[in-house]
């Protein structure tokens, strides 16, 4: 898994690329936690762009849950551009009830 982090105005956009599974979830957790901290210090908004993500295991979903808890009221986290497989995983896991899910990064703002 690779990770890119960009500022788009006052919004922080994190971009995981590849797969988040049993071998990469810890790296994803570290990067996402750093992004939540940075977003809390900035505008309070974080978009996680799923467009480069091929797969996420239950460990990756757990990381999202931990990030949501860490963000609290200080940071709004939006999940953007999930492919059809990821969207299905998010819906089956009911994460669409925890996070706003946007069709693309542009509509996440």
């Amino acid at each position: 898994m690779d990770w890119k982090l960009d500022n788009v105005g006052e919004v922080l956009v994190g971009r995981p690329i590849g797969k988040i599974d049993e071998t990469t979830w810890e790296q994803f957790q570290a990067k996402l936690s750093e992004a939540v901290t940075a977003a809390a210090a900035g505008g309070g908004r974080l978009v996680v762009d799923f467009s480069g993500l091929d797969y996420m295991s239950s460990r990756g979903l757990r990381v999202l849950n931990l990030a949501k808890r860490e963000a609290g009221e200080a940071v709004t986290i939006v999940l953007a551009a999930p492919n059809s497989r990821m969207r299905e995983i998010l819906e089956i896991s009911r994460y669409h009830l925890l996070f706003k899910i946007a069709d693309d990064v542009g509509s996440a703002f």
Side-chain angles (χ1 to χ4, degrees):
M1 182 209 76
D2 289 323
W3 175 266
K4 294 180 182 177
L5 191 62
D6 300 307
N7 283 310
V8 180
E10 292 186 13
V11 178
L12 204 55
V13 179
R15 294 182 168 91
I17 300 165
K19 294 181 180 182
I20 300 171
D21 58 19
E22 286 66 30
T23 62
T24 60
W25 72 270
E26 290 175 305
Q27 179 186 6
F28 179 56
Q29 182 176 17
K31 297 295 186 183
L32 190 55
S33 181
E34 289 171 10
V36 168
T37 300
R45 297 188 310 178
L46 173 63
V47 175
V48 182
D49 178 2
F50 278 21
S51 65
L53 195 61
D54 300 324
Y55 172 78
M56 179 181 286
S57 73
S58 61
R59 291 191 189 234
L61 292 172
R62 182 174 183 277
V63 169
L64 290 175
N65 196 24
L66 292 172
K68 177 84 169 164
R69 188 176 309 150
E70 181 181 349
E73 298 294 320
V75 177
T76 300
I77 301 174
V78 177
L79 310 179
N83 63 29
S84 60
R85 183 177 190 187
M86 279 306 308
R87 187 175 290 276
E88 182 179 10
I89 289 170
L90 292 170
E91 288 178 7
I92 288 170
S93 304
R94 303 180 59 86
Y95 275 59
H96 66 290
L97 301 175
L98 296 174
F99 298 93
K100 176 183 175 188
I101 300 177
D103 290 335
D104 55 54
V105 174
S107 66
F109 302 111

